[in-house]
Amino acid sequence: MAAVADTLLQLSGVGKRFGGLAALSDVALHIQRGEIYGLIGPNGAGKTTLFNVVTGLYQLDAGTFTFDGIAYSHCKPHVLAEAGIARTFQNIRLFANMSALENVMVGRHLRTRTGIWGALTRNAAARAEERAITQRARELLRYVGIERPHQTLAKHLPYGEQRRLEIARALATDPKLLALDEPAAGMNATETESLKALLQTIRASGITVLLIEHDVKLIMGLCDRMAVLDYGKKIAEGVPEEVRQNPAVIAAYLGGEAA
């Protein structure tokens, strides 16, 4: 697949196996800077496996993976996080007994510069950096719409706000690509609409968004482009209307009729 001038993430011929099972086979796609890109498919189609390859939890067995002009193959998650890829998970993974503020500060520490010595000595540079981290964390909590006291423990936040807190923590790493694994899972209609508005705001700020989502209505109304996986292979890619009308997608995912 030819590269596109403003491509942020490009996968070509990506394969991943678990023993005798091919979880991904010859997957190719590109995500352009500043777009919201969706990934859909039936359960077991390989979506989360692809996410785990992109974020370094799994190492690809075949193909190439290029992010922001640099090729990666066998990198740890922290390397890709430092490169600018942040993610959330389908199952909420907050630090339940830490405050909302502290959860976001943890994410922000990826960008700290004073190091272990500064943390031990609490020198002026370390104290100034800690104040900046706290301030940025407060800003991000307001940005995602969490207005309650920031010392509220994460486990005491309503479900929808826990989802938003995960996004705030990911944003604290200053990502170029925000990868969200089913961010609307378990949300009611009001929470889902609020999430949609937040993701549009994030995209407007210049951050590229990649998301897996089972809510077809949400993803069709939100994404600029999308791809569909089935049995580990990409069966369609394009703007939502093209994907909606694709016969292979209708047969594999949308229940036998156009959505």
Side-chain angles (χ1 to χ4, degrees), residues 37-229:
Y37 189 97
L39 193 62
I40 66 172
N43 289 331
K47 304 182 299 298
T48 296
T49 299
L50 186 62
F51 250 49
N52 288 340
V53 166
V54 168
T55 56
L57 291 178
Y58 295 161
Q59 307 303 316
L60 53 81
D61 295 324
T64 60
F65 164 29
T66 302
F67 179 72
D68 201 20
I70 298 174
Y72 295 89
S73 57
H74 295 83
C75 289
K76 298 296 184 181
H78 74 273
V79 174
L80 293 172
E82 290 173 356
I85 300 176
R87 74 166 293 173
T88 64
F89 291 83
Q90 180 178 353
N91 297 318
I92 292 174
R93 297 191 183 184
L94 295 170
F95 299 105
N97 290 310
M98 292 172 62
S99 71
L101 182 68
E102 289 167 337
N103 268 271
V104 182
M105 290 175 67
V106 167
R108 190 64 186 166
H109 277 285
L110 178 71
R111 301 300 178 192
T112 57
R113 294 291 176 262
T114 53
I116 295 175
W117 180 248
L120 291 174
T121 62
R122 298 291 298 165
N123 58 35
R127 293 196 303 273
E129 188 171 62
E130 196 69 14
R131 287 194 297 270
I133 289 169
T134 302
Q135 177 61 29
R136 181 58 177 154
R138 291 182 184 279
E139 292 171 356
L140 286 169
L141 286 169
R142 290 193 294 269
Y143 182 80
V144 301
I146 297 177
E147 301 292 348
R148 67 188 64 243
H150 293 163
Q151 294 309 318
T152 302
L153 295 183
K155 66 183 179 182
H156 293 152
L157 291 173
Y159 179 82
E161 291 191 11
Q162 290 187 30
R163 286 284 184 189
R164 286 171 170 270
L165 179 56
E166 280 201 310
I167 293 174
R169 186 175 61 185
L171 290 173
T173 68
D174 287 342
K176 299 172 184 175
L177 177 69
L178 178 62
L180 306 174
D181 191 349
E182 296 199 36
M187 288 187 172
N188 60 38
T190 300
E191 290 170 333
T192 299
E193 280 301 308
S194 182
L195 173 68
K196 179 179 178 180
L198 174 60
L199 296 183
Q200 290 170 329
T201 299
I202 291 170
R203 187 263 301 277
S205 76
I207 297 173
T208 305
V209 178
L210 166 65
L211 72 154
I212 295 172
E213 187 51 64
H214 278 296
D215 187 329
V216 176
K217 180 180 178 182
L218 172 64
I219 206 165
M220 289 284 182
L222 181 62
C223 294
D224 300 294
R225 292 188 306 119
M226 57 197 305
V228 186
L229 297 183

